Amino acid sequence: MSEHSKIAQHLIATAPSKLGRRDVLRGLAGTLLLSVTPVGLAATSASVVAVRVWPANAYTRVTIESSAPLTFKQFSLKDPDRLVVDLEGIDLNNELQSLAGKVGDNDPYIKLLRAARNKPGVVRLVLDLKAAVKPQIFTLDPIAEYKHRLVIDLYPAVQTDELLAFLNDNSQLKMDVVPPAVPAEKTASQASNVKPAEAKASDPNKKPTENKPTETVDRSKLKVDRLITVVLDPGHGGEDPGAVGPGGNHEKAVVLQIAKRLRDLLQSEPNFRVVMTRDADFFVPLGVRVRKARAVQADLFVSIHADAFVRPDANGSSVFALSEGGASSTAARWLAQTQNDADLIGGVKVKGGEDLRKTLLDLTTTATINDSLKLGKAMLGELGSINRLHKPNVEQASFAVLKAPDIPSILVETAFISNPDEERKLIDDDYQQKMAQALFKGIKRYFAKNPPLARTRIAQNP
């Protein structure tokens, strides 16, 4: 019999009553707990379960995922530039030690990352930097498959991306009135036969020829007198993989490749300029995606995704527009909710996000939604030539990323990545090119019938 058992037996036997024996047992339990618990060790301590590094020109993100919330302290050092982060309440383990190997030579901001035990219960991270940065460090609650996360975002102190610099300098973003634009009234035959220099020298009083009926004109060939700005928005990115196919392929990677192919097609046309909300594997908050589109005074906003559903046999392509009221179907409502959760999954240090969404929704005009529906219909007409349509009509729901108040905006679900057959198609180069071609034709078809005109930009107050 152990010494603890002998003591317990003696105390219980000599207790004067049932009440006394109960008190003895309670006290004994506490004594035994103290005897097996090391002094200074908390009853529940955090353990780091995963570490990730997401390098990009826009910013580099370091994520520390743990079983319990982490507390931290930070400070910066100069000559050379270093960021020091002390993680409290944890011990150094293999995951933390693996951080050093996750930083590549091509990382724009981190030269070296070291993790070491600073003192009992404190792990110190030292980030040797390639340039001065503006760090943002914050924690995130568990969401989806992620546990507690501590996020270290390293933004450049001097922003080289002109658009991001503009957004950072104009947190209260306001838009001026756009100068009037000339509508695309010239026919395709005039566009193909008249060179720019000849067009300037032509007689402005000359009446157009009437030997060709209007309906015979090939309106797929677009001719306008100003640049058309199209913002392409590859969904998800970085910490937010989007849907994951049965073969392990991530939605964020597939849609980025399709968006790049579409960008190349659009830029091959003389009258298009393209802005992408992300051109690499990093996370962009939903509100920033909208603000980027408004900052460049976009004529169109196209968000590209690859759908997922609980049933693996779900298949086909879909197009969605914003709804001022309820969703057009239960599936559309469910999809909008999953997409709107991107900020929680990707992780963003933003306060008042719901106020922003409400403000943008209140500002959304019926005319803009009608234009979005026209664009969606043109897209469906092209997507149906390469894939089954999941729904024959443009669906509507309250997608946060479509809430630019004055930009026709659609969300395209290219296919169901949760379907094994469609997943194989989505990672195929030929199919990706066909999908990009279909989206390209849909955009041109829309502008052929809806030439870009001047619009008054209203103030945005994020």
Side-chain angles (χ1 to χ4, degrees):
M1 184 180 293
S2 70
E3 190 65 27
H4 287 308
S5 298
K6 291 178 181 178
I7 295 172
Q9 199 174 62
H10 173 73
L11 290 172
I12 294 171
T14 58
S17 65
K18 288 184 178 180
L19 179 60
R21 291 179 183 180
R22 191 183 304 132
D23 292 339
V24 167
L25 286 172
R26 288 174 179 170
L28 180 62
T31 302
L32 292 176
L33 179 62
L34 287 174
S35 70
V36 298
T37 303
V39 176
L41 182 63
T44 57
S45 59
S47 175
V48 172
V49 298
V51 294
R52 295 176 290 275
V53 180
W54 305 99
N57 287 329
Y59 69 101
T60 287
R61 168 169 289 190
V62 179
T63 305
I64 313 293
E65 187 176 356
S66 58
S67 59
L70 295 177
T71 56
F72 65 93
K73 294 178 181 177
Q74 69 180 90
F75 58 92
S76 298
L77 299 171
K78 292 289 185 182
D79 301 322
D81 289 321
R82 284 159 291 165
L83 175 66
V84 180
V85 182
D86 285 340
L87 306 177
E88 301 176 345
I90 63 170
D91 286 324
L92 187 66
N93 63 5
N94 291 335
E95 287 294 338
L96 283 168
Q97 288 177 320
S98 72
L99 264 173
K102 296 181 182 293
V103 177
D105 294 336
N106 62 341
D107 192 297
Y109 306 109
I110 304 177
K111 183 187 301 180
L112 183 66
L113 199 165
R114 294 165 283 156
R117 188 184 186 199
N118 187 43
K119 57 185 178 181
V122 177
V123 173
R124 172 163 289 182
L125 304 182
V126 180
L127 293 81
D128 295 330
L129 304 171
K130 294 180 179 179
V133 299
K134 290 182 178 178
Q136 285 190 10
I137 306 179
F138 54 96
T139 58
L140 297 169
D141 293 331
I143 182 73
E145 72 272 20
Y146 292 122
K147 300 181 185 298
H148 296 272
R149 286 174 290 168
L150 184 141
V151 175
I152 305 171
D153 284 344
L154 304 176
Y155 292 90
V158 179
Q159 182 59 257
T160 56
D161 186 309
E162 293 183 359
L163 178 55
L164 289 177
F166 173 79
L167 291 176
N168 292 339
D169 293 340
N170 294 270
S171 58
Q172 301 298 318
L173 183 62
K174 295 180 180 179
M175 292 299 177
D176 297 326
V177 176
V178 181
V182 180
E185 295 177 343
K186 296 180 180 179
T187 63
S189 60
Q190 289 173 312
S192 59
N193 296 328
V194 181
K195 298 179 181 179
E198 295 173 341
K200 291 180 181 179
S202 61
D203 183 0
N205 297 319
K206 183 178 179 180
K207 295 182 179 180
T209 57
E210 300 179 357
N211 56 346
K212 286 187 178 181
T214 304
E215 57 268 19
T216 65
V217 176
D218 181 7
R219 297 188 67 89
S220 65
K221 295 180 180 179
L222 184 65
K223 179 67 171 69
V224 296
D225 293 321
R226 71 169 174 92
L227 285 177
I228 298 173
T229 300
V230 177
V231 172
L232 301 180
D233 175 49
H236 310 283
E239 279 288 281
D240 177 17
V244 181
N249 295 287
H250 290 174
E251 176 184 4
K252 66 175 183 177
V254 169
V255 298
L256 179 60
Q257 291 305 313
I258 294 173
K260 286 182 174 180
R261 293 175 185 274
L262 176 56
R263 175 194 62 188
D264 293 343
L265 290 170
L266 288 168
Q267 288 182 336
S268 68
E269 295 283 315
N271 292 316
F272 283 102
R273 73 161 174 161
V274 181
V275 175
M276 295 183 66
T277 58
R278 69 177 181 96
D279 56 4
D281 187 13
F282 62 94
F283 175 72
V284 182
L286 298 174
V288 174
R289 295 171 191 254
V290 176
R291 289 176 62 205
K292 281 186 172 184
R294 300 209 65 222
V296 297
Q297 300 182 346
D299 295 291
L300 283 187
F301 180 91
V302 180
S303 193
I304 303 173
H305 293 256
D307 210 346
F309 198 61
V310 292
R311 293 200 334 265
D313 59 336
N315 64 91
S317 300
S318 306
V319 178
F320 296 84
L322 183 66
S323 169
E324 287 185 289
S328 57
S329 69
T330 302
R333 184 184 303 107
W334 177 83
L335 178 62
Q337 183 57 56
T338 60
Q339 299 298 349
N340 292 348
D341 284 344
D343 279 357
L344 299 176
I345 298 171
V348 56
K349 187 179 181 181
V350 170
K351 294 182 179 179
E354 290 302 321
D355 291 337
L356 167 63
R357 293 177 188 177
K358 184 178 185 302
T359 299
L360 291 177
L361 181 58
D362 290 343
L363 290 171
T364 303
T365 63
T366 302
T368 301
I369 293 179
N370 286 340
D371 284 341
S372 300
L373 292 172
K374 293 177 185 177
L375 171 61
K377 185 177 180 181
M379 284 295 188
L380 284 175
E382 298 296 338
L383 289 171
S385 65
I386 65 164
N387 195 24
R388 173 185 173 272
L389 294 180
H390 186 67
K391 294 284 186 178
N393 301 315
V394 181
E395 293 209 76
Q396 292 180 263
S398 184
F399 291 89
V401 80
L402 301 183
K403 291 181 179 178
D406 48 356
I407 303 171
S409 305
I410 60 169
L411 186 147
V412 178
E413 293 288 357
T414 54
F416 280 82
I417 199 170
S418 55
N419 181 307
D421 294 333
E422 294 209 327
E423 180 188 23
R424 283 190 288 271
K425 289 196 291 186
L426 283 168
I427 62 174
D428 180 72
D429 288 344
D430 290 339
Y431 185 80
Q432 287 183 3
Q433 190 65 26
K434 288 179 181 177
M435 179 60 64
Q437 286 277 4
L439 298 178
F440 172 63
K441 292 178 180 177
I443 291 172
K444 292 190 68 177
R445 175 189 285 190
Y446 168 79
F447 279 120
K449 293 183 178 179
N450 304 275
L453 301 174
R455 291 172 295 168
T456 300
R457 302 292 177 175
I458 56 182
Q460 178 184 357
N461 215 359

